[in-house]
Amino acid sequence: MAQIQKSTDSSSLAEVIDRVLDKGIVIDAFVKVSLVGIELISIEARIVIASVETYLKYAEAIGLTASAAAPA
């Protein structure tokens, strides 16, 4: 069983930003507004916050970079 360690050291903003850019964050949202069965607004958003190196590493792993690299 994994143990959780609590840190008593406070993190600076620079350390938090470094961690976020290193690991990355993905926010995926889908909003749909309908009235009486008629779709009025549909919004899809995917927000990725990561360093370019981290993004490319994971995008390549799931096949997102192949279409960008292909000639038109």
Side-chain angles (χ1 to χ4, degrees):
M1 179 185 273
Q3 293 183 358
I4 298 173
Q5 294 181 338
K6 285 190 174 185
S7 175
T8 57
D9 298 335
S10 62
S11 297
S12 69
L13 181 60
E15 291 173 349
V16 172
I17 291 173
D18 184 51
R19 172 72 59 110
V20 167
L21 291 177
D22 183 45
K23 301 296 182 186
I25 294 176
V26 175
I27 301 170
D28 201 1
F30 178 75
V31 177
K32 181 176 165 182
V33 177
S34 297
L35 182 64
V36 191
I38 300 170
E39 186 176 315
L40 300 174
I41 299 172
S42 179
I43 301 170
E44 293 184 43
R46 176 168 285 163
I47 301 167
V48 178
I49 302 172
S51 67
V52 173
E53 179 183 354
T54 302
Y55 173 76
L56 290 176
K57 181 172 79 173
Y58 290 107
E60 184 176 10
I62 62 172
L64 291 177
T65 58
S67 62

